[in-house]
């Protein structure tokens, strides 16, 4: 069994994703969130860090779990009840947890947005959608029917998207920001998009999309954010010669 240094893997992740340079929400806590004894023999990747995915990682015999949504989006204090159960299980199982939110969204090759664009066949990508001082999404100029784009999105995510047909039937300026960017339709329209692909958004965005003349495709928060952790884990597997697997635990949201 090949053993690799946890510190070396984490250093590579932080350098590759520019973890220290890219701002984020306070609860993201990007980087190594939980350490282990110091070595890695198997990597698991999941969208969310939860008791369920941690149990799946341990069952797969992983000692490093790579996630997009980490452990601290909601308060973990005090360490009692389910919080204590989770912490004890992590420590007893020697499972390290590494989380990357906006840094992984933004990466030009491994990121959620780049990988989703590639899966959709979008090319000549340009930076798009500023969040916390950095462009995290990508935009592309192409020509595709609105319905065909929706079908493509369903094929690559495995989830039927919710389509708000607020714009033209043929899409030419497409912006992509995975996850929960649906509340920012005005920003997408301001940047000249006629079509905006993201994960989810509030009810009121239907009327707003019509007013803005903007097509919106909600592909699912979870479904649009499986790409980055898979790409990062595969990259680590190639570089450090340790096996990896994706733990699919869909939320349906």
């Amino acid at each position: 069994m090949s053993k690799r240094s946890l510190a070396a893997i984490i250093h590579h992740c932080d350098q590759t994703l520019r973890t220290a340079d890219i701002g984020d929400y306070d609860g993201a806590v990007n980087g190594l969130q939980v350490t282990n004894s110091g070595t890695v023999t198997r990597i698991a990747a999941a969208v969310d860090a939860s008791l369920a995915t941690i149990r799946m990682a341990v069952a797969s015999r992983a000692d490093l779990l790579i996630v997009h949504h980490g452990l601290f989006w909601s308060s973990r204090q005090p360490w009692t009840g389910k919080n204590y159960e989770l912490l004890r299980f992590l420590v007893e199982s020697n499972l390290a947890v590494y989380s990357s939110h906006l840094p992984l969204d933004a990466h030009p090759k491994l990121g959620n947005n780049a990988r989703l664009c590639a899966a959709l066949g979008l090319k000549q990508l340009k930076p798009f959608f500023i969040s916390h001082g950095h462009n995290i999404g990508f935009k592309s100029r192409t020509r595709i029917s609105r319905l065909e784009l929706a079908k493509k999105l369903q094929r690559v995510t495995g989830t039927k998207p919710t389509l708000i047909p607020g714009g033209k039937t043929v899409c030419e300026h497409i912006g992509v920001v995975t996850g929960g960017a649906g509340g920012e339709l005005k920003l997408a329209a301001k940047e000249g998009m006629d079509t905006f692909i993201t994960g989810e958004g509030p009810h009121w965005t239907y009327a707003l999309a019509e007013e803005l003349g903007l097509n919106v495709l909600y592909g699912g928060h979870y479904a649009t954010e499986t790409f980055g952790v898979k790409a990062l884990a595969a990259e680590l597997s190639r570089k450090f010669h340790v096996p990896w697997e994706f733990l699919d635990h869909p939320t349906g949201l």
Side-chain angles (χ1 to χ4, degrees), residues 231-249:
L232 178 59
E235 156 75 8
L236 295 174
S237 178
R238 286 190 295 269
K239 181 172 179 61
F240 293 96
H241 307 290
V242 292
W244 78 279
E245 69 175 287
F246 176 64
L247 308 175
D248 195 17
H249 190 60

Side-chain angles (χ1 to χ4, degrees), residues 153-170:
L153 184 59
Q154 181 172 352
R155 282 198 298 270
V156 302
T157 62
T159 299
K160 184 176 182 180
T162 297
L163 170 62
I164 304 177
K168 302 179 297 183
T169 58
V170 175

Side-chain angles (χ1 to χ4, degrees), residues 3 12 14 31 52 56 69 85 87 95 102 112 125 128 133 173 176 185 189 241 252:
K3 291 186 177 182
H12 178 73
D14 286 341
M56 292 169 70
H69 302 129
E85 182 182 343
L87 178 62
L95 181 66
L102 292 188
N112 283 311
L125 304 181
F128 166 67
H173 300 274
V176 177
L185 301 192
H241 307 290

Side-chain angles (χ1 to χ4, degrees), residues 48-240:
D48 306 295
S50 66
L51 185 56
T53 55
I54 288 166
R55 284 173 171 160
M56 292 169 70
V58 171
S60 76
R61 292 190 286 186
D63 31 34
L64 172 61
L65 175 62
I66 302 287
V67 298
H68 184 50
H69 302 129
L71 292 165
F72 304 109
W73 286 105
S74 57
S75 175
R76 282 292 179 187
Q77 293 86 21
W79 289 100
T80 58
K82 288 295 180 181
N83 286 338
Y84 171 71
E85 182 182 343
L86 183 148
L87 178 62
R88 183 181 66 180
F89 190 59
L90 277 169
V91 174
E92 290 177 350
S93 304
N94 193 40
L95 181 66
V97 178
Y98 183 90
S99 180
S100 185
H101 186 237
L102 292 188
L104 186 56
D105 282 329
H107 194 274
K109 292 183 179 179
L110 303 176
N112 283 311
N113 295 300
R115 302 303 296 179
L116 178 54
C117 286
L120 291 170
L122 301 178
K123 299 177 181 180
Q124 296 181 326
L125 304 181
K126 294 183 178 180
F128 166 67
F129 198 94
I130 293 176
S131 178
H132 293 79
H134 292 270
N135 286 294
I136 62 169
F138 293 97
K139 60 184 177 181
S140 175
R141 186 168 185 176
T142 187
R143 189 172 177 84
I144 184 173
S145 77
R146 187 171 61 198
L147 291 180
E148 179 57 31
L149 183 60
K151 289 177 183 178
K152 271 193 172 186
L153 184 59
Q154 181 172 352
R155 282 198 298 270
V156 302
T157 62
T159 299
K160 184 176 182 180
T162 297
L163 170 62
I164 304 177
K168 302 179 297 183
T169 58
V170 175
C171 309
E172 297 183 76
H173 300 274
I174 301 171
V176 177
V177 179
T178 61
E184 299 292 346
L185 301 192
K186 288 184 179 179
L187 193 158
K190 184 178 180 181
E191 292 198 41
M193 300 302 100
D194 57 48
T195 303
F196 184 42
I197 298 173
T198 187
E200 62 172 329
H203 176 265
W204 52 263
T205 57
Y206 193 100
L208 180 60
E210 290 180 322
E211 293 169 10
L212 293 171
L214 183 69
N215 294 313
V216 179
L217 289 89
Y218 290 140
H221 197 134
Y222 177 91
T224 60
E225 295 199 319
T226 62
F227 298 89
V229 290
K230 290 178 181 178
L232 178 59
E235 156 75 8
L236 295 174
S237 178
R238 286 190 295 269
K239 181 172 179 61
F240 293 96

